[in-house]
Amino acid sequence: MAEQTFKLPDIGEGIAEAELADWLVKVGDVIREDDVICEVTTDKATVEIPASVGGRVTWIAGEPGTVLAIGGDLIRIETDGEAAPAAEQEAAAPDTAPAPEPAAPAAAAPQSAPVAQAAPVAQAAPVAPAAAPKRAARTAGPVTLGPTGKPLAAPSVRGRARDLGIDLRRVRGTGPAGRILHEDLEDYATHGDASVRSTAFAPRDGTEEIRVTGIRRAIAERMALSKSRIPHFSIIEEVEVEALETLRASLNTQFGDSRGKLTLLPFLLRALSEAVRDHPAINATYDDEAGIVTRHAALHCGMATQTDSGLMVPVLRHVEAMTLWETAQEIRRLSEAARSRRAGPKDLSGSTLTVTSLGPLGAVATTPIINHPEVAIVGVNKMTVRPVWNGTEFVPRRMMNLSCSFDHRVVDGWDAAEFVAKLKRLLEVPAMLFMEWRDE
């Protein structure tokens, strides 16, 4: 027997340290080569670290939330062979992109053997075949929560649960440390929740302490930095989108099957690319330590996206050079990459202006926080039909409020108001989005 110590590998982009987000193994577990042993996070993404050898875990570096230096000791594994030289360990390091998610194994490991799940295989169908033997439901008993207060599950399992409409808080995991596997989702879909109480009303007691770690902590730090350094002011403007929605519906009817459906966001980004050309002070970043404002010719638009790990901001580069359909395709690609944690550091950095939207959950108005070091952010509120006075009578019109926040250190109120007015004109008369001329 030999004990090998494995280091936290280089995860690229010049990152010097990473935070332990979640352990998928514990001391005493017997694991196989390529099993995912832990997840680590940077301020840009979450990366899964696989085991380069199989054996028994004898030591792990620390609890979730611990910050480790790249190259620091991560885990010790007792193997049957001799210790591998350091060069072999480095060769086994993962790529800079997050490792692919393991799918469910063909069958659960025997309960008497503390062996982690087998190497990734093709993902099983959502429901077990009818001819398969019926198993007991796995949904009774407590659900194991991770350090973020959410059930332990891989992103692929979370995505599949969303597709099936399953609340992971009601599924008991049978994987290492109570982690929910694809097989557990199958059992839940087949047998339902065996632990549902017979009455809908019951007293609830107790408290829960959730440690702020990983991407959630990075978000908290960035928001605190933004609010503490940037003197925000907001302008909320009402926009009639009747003509825009009519145009969007017409384009989707004519081209939706061949080019894909358009949402409102591609039109908004097109309007932004036109508006910042006439108001370059808005498409800027401010280095407040050096006292330098950098105005950007290109519009690299950050899209605030909600994920299981928290709010992420993938970046659409050169929005000014995209067609509506190219913009829509890039929005879909980046949103899916962020939600599945496949977005790399390049996809999550370099924005010059950010757009945030709560979609149908949006309120009448919001006051979005600027994404430091940018100087502005545009918030999209929900669309609703309101009565509008046309001079002789009230008529129903589709209306939407825009909530825009600005950095008052470098953007004056008058300049911000002119920018919002320009954005309003472009959205209310969408034909202007396709004109070759510009306002002088």
Side-chain angles (χ1 to χ4, degrees), residues 333-349:
R333 183 190 73 81
L334 288 171
S335 298
E336 292 171 1
R339 293 191 176 102
S340 62
R341 297 193 296 185
R342 291 183 289 104
K346 184 178 180 181
D347 291 329
L348 299 169
S349 61

Side-chain angles (χ1 to χ4, degrees), residues 357-366 380-383:
S357 170
L358 294 177
L361 297 178
V364 174
T366 53
V380 182
N381 299 295
K382 68 179 178 182
M383 190 183 305

